[in-house]
Amino acid sequence: MAGFRSSAQYIATRDLEVAVNAAVTLQRPLLVKGEPGTGKTVLAQEVARALEMPLIEWHIKSTTKAQQGLYEYDAVARLRDGQLGDARVHDISNYILRGKLWEAFTAPSPVVVLIDEIDKADIEFPNDLLLELDRMRFFVYETREEVAAIHRPVVIITSNNEKELPDAFLRRCFFHYIRFPDRDTMERIVAAHFPDLRADLAREALSVFFRLRDVPGLKKKPATSELLDWLKLLMAEDMPPEALRSSETQIVIPPLHGALLKNEQDIHLFERLAFLARRQGG
Amino acid sequence: MFVPFLLALRAAGVPASITEHLALLGAMKAGAADGSVEDFYYLARAALVKDERHLDRFDRVFAACFKGLGEASGDAPGGISADIPEEWLRQLAEKFLTPEEMAKIASLGGFEALMETLRQRLAEQQGRHQGGSKWIGTAGTSPFGAYGYNPEGVRIGQDRSRHKSAVKVWDQREFRDLDDRVELGTRGMKLALRRLRRFAREGAASELDLSGTIQATAANAGTLDLRLRAERRNAVKILLLLDIGGSMDEHVQRSSELFSAARAEFKYLEHFYFHNCPYERLWRDHRRRAESSLPTTDLLRLYGPDWKLIFVGDAAMSPYELDMPGGSAEHWNEEPGAAWISRLSGHFRRSAWINPTPPRDWAHVRTIRRIQDLMEGRMMPLSLAGLDEMARALLH
């Protein structure tokens, strides 16, 4: 079986590789948590690529119901058709809309299913999917048919910790917590994404980035995805490394900071710190 | 296989069950960890731990159960340094200073001088007992490791390991920050907190408004006219301020239960910590308080009066802290604690104080009576009945 390994585009630590491969081997869902922007969602894409399977993404919102992943009965459309005298109305299966999990269960070859940000949904959401994810089958009441998985899909679930997940659900998953990468790993990640980035620019940018993450009181610390965006901008602008350099004590606002700081309070905070630092220095 | 390990994990509070154990064995059998100890550690972690808060406990149990696995490492991870909470210093004061000395110091300069002398005394003690890190105890059982902080830079106990020899992955304890000792058994609290729910229709219209549809359809001469409306959601916003002062140590478990119950129950929940009494700064992460602190005035600005304010604390402190400028045990405060409490409870329309000590003891503690007055009687015990009472006080 082709295992999941770090690839040229995605740097996975060894513990992540073990967790993914164990989940794939035992055909259990893998629950991935971690700071926003550490590559939880990208992980599913990379797993799909490594295992050469298609990826089905199901993004969860606060209004998403578990049932929508299986199927939906569009009663409103049927009611409307009934009023208009449409012939379709006599076959209820015309109004059964297939959900992402149905799609995954009936796919001709094994697929990877990403259930993204499961904690966004209602607290009952994971419980409602317990049986379906465990047995990989469900029953359609309207048409009295049972949908069972032809191939058990690889299920990857991400969570941002907004809500606690029920124990019964957790018991069925493998779990991995993606830590924020340390500097070495981050250098590898940057090298994987921008092989032709100048080494001195990368070094300065990473210094600025890690110092920025250490600024207390930031509402949203920049994470890997922000760093990569920022580097892309720096390269597009052809920024010289000197523009990023600042002494250890002095804080300057990095150029193109809009890619790193996503919230105006953070920018204000940073400007205030920079101002204080200048005043102390001068 | 690995049953003692599983039992040790459960004893340490990692809720691993037979299902997880079988999953681990299945994965081993399928060859998911091929021979290397590190892979086995990663695999066991992925299979048995389901919450990042338990990762640190897992690491410790793993280290204890599989000691000597892999190449021999230099040192056991013994001397985990802990910072001493201030309340402990106070208790130590009674141990290390004679009553005469205490009386003398008190007559000279009050409790601040007392603390200063104590610090010197302890510093000497440290000097004489070389390498004596044991008397703090290991981080696992003592709440001081987790909740410790450092009063004015005095660090008692041994510093981080001086031996930089091969440290195994699980000995690095990288997940220590994530452990917050949340216990099970929060269901009753959740139910009590549920009383605080206030439903309001907010957000996108996604629900069929049946009576509206019937009315609109009838008005439309029988042609269907669908009406949608937003779903009902819990719109109550809670701001928790938690005391993590030394005297709270015995209440740590129940306070964290309350915290985890509240966290599961409310969508809008923010929390900050204070020490004994709220002053001009609060902080969000009690292990990184220097970096995560927030001026209380900013808090008043950030959270509008519609947030419900809940203090959680035993309200047992030195009367100085409440009524004297500079009375705080750890820094110089311009304004007394009482002023900050009134300012906070005045800003928020609804506020309450949850006290984990039993109500029968309240009358004996001066500062509890004082805060009870400041809160206009809205101090409730941390019991289900108390939470019910609090919910009523916060809503009406």
Side-chain angles (χ1 to χ4, degrees), chain A residues 14-15 76 161 173 175 216, chain B residues 39 45-46 50 52 263 291:
Chain A
R14 180 68 191 145
D15 47 346
V76 174
N161 242 358
C173 303
F175 170 71
Chain B
D39 279 8
R45 201 176 74 190
K50 296 302 159 63
E52 67 274 16
R263 212 180 134 191
E291 300 104 278

Side-chain angles (χ1 to χ4, degrees), chain A:
Chain A
M1 191 196 67
F4 167 71
R5 292 265 175 282
S6 266
S7 67
Q9 306 88 29
Y10 189 82
I11 305 297
T13 48
R14 180 68 191 145
D15 47 346
L16 179 57
E17 288 173 9
V18 171
V20 170
N21 288 325
V24 172
T25 314
L26 288 199
Q27 302 186 322
R28 283 177 183 240
L30 175 68
L31 171 66
V32 185
K33 284 200 208 170
E35 232 182 275
T38 41
K40 296 189 293 291
T41 308
V42 184
L43 172 70
Q45 293 160 2
E46 288 303 322
V47 170
R49 194 199 312 247
L51 303 178
E52 293 173 356
M53 295 178 187
L55 174 68
I56 295 180
E57 298 186 32
W58 184 17
H59 298 281
I60 307 299
K61 297 175 191 156
S62 63
T63 51
T64 309
K65 297 271 174 295
Q67 186 66 30
Q68 293 169 350
L70 310 176
Y71 69 93
E72 278 180 290
Y73 169 42
D74 193 352
V76 174
R78 194 171 184 214
L79 181 59
R80 188 192 56 221
D81 284 359
Q83 288 211 329
L84 299 175
D86 197 314
R88 271 162 42 95
V89 81
H90 299 295
D91 186 359
I92 197 166
S93 63
N94 285 330
Y95 302 97
I96 302 287
L97 306 175
R98 295 177 175 207
K100 298 278 185 191
L101 288 182
W102 187 330
E103 215 178 294
F105 287 179
T106 53
S109 65
V111 295
V112 177
V113 178
L114 167 67
I115 304 181
D116 204 14
E117 312 201 7
I118 195 167
D119 54 328
K120 290 270 181 299
D122 193 67
I123 207 137
E124 296 301 335
F125 180 91
N127 276 334
D128 293 348
L129 281 181
L130 273 186
L131 199 67
E132 285 74 12
L133 287 180
D134 209 27
R135 299 235 218 103
M136 300 282 182
R137 58 173 64 230
F138 62 89
F139 190 73
V140 186
Y141 294 96
E142 283 78 3
T143 57
R144 313 214 172 276
E145 65 173 312
E146 178 156 61
V147 178
I150 303 172
H151 305 279
R152 283 178 76 97
V154 176
V155 182
I156 294 183
I157 301 167
T158 72
S159 163
N160 275 327
N161 242 358
E162 282 185 17
K163 292 194 194 82
E164 311 230 347
L165 298 171
D167 287 345
F169 180 79
L170 293 174
R171 212 164 288 143
R172 288 165 169 83
C173 303
F174 276 85
F175 170 71
H176 184 75
Y177 183 81
I178 301 190
R179 270 186 324 122
F180 193 80
D182 54 15
R183 187 155 177 150
D184 287 348
T185 316
M186 192 58 101
E187 276 170 13
R188 282 168 58 208
I189 294 173
V190 168
H193 279 82
F194 304 110
D196 46 353
L197 182 68
R198 285 169 55 188
D200 48 352
L201 181 64
R203 201 173 50 241
E204 292 296 339
L206 278 177
S207 301
V208 171
F209 172 74
F210 277 101
R211 208 170 321 138
L212 194 63
R213 274 184 62 85
D214 282 342
V215 170
L218 283 189
K219 280 207 155 181
K220 164 79 180 80
K221 286 187 177 188
T224 316
S225 58
E226 277 93 7
L227 174 68
L228 296 178
D229 285 350
W230 185 53
L231 285 173
K232 207 182 285 171
L233 275 178
L234 289 179
M235 283 172 75
E237 295 274 317
D238 209 8
M239 191 69 69
E242 294 75 39
L244 302 179
R245 195 165 298 150
S246 59
S247 65
E248 278 303 312
T249 49
Q250 201 158 348
I251 309 167
V252 292
I253 299 178
L256 306 166
H257 60 267
L260 290 173
L261 299 172
K262 295 294 176 63
N263 144 341
E264 69 206 60
Q265 276 118 318
D266 285 355
I267 295 175
H268 281 318
L269 174 79
F270 205 72
E271 278 168 350
R272 209 172 60 215
L273 285 174
F275 173 72
L276 287 175
R278 265 203 309 280
R279 207 169 52 179
Q280 276 168 3

Side-chain angles (χ1 to χ4, degrees), chain B residues 138-170:
Chain B
T138 52
T141 49
S142 150
F144 304 128
Y147 289 92
Y149 88 105
N150 191 345
E152 296 172 18
V154 179
R155 194 187 186 95
I156 304 163
Q158 195 171 351
D159 218 326
R160 204 169 281 277
S161 168
R162 287 162 295 167
H163 315 280
K164 287 258 163 68
S165 55
V167 182
K168 283 174 284 189
V169 200
W170 47 92

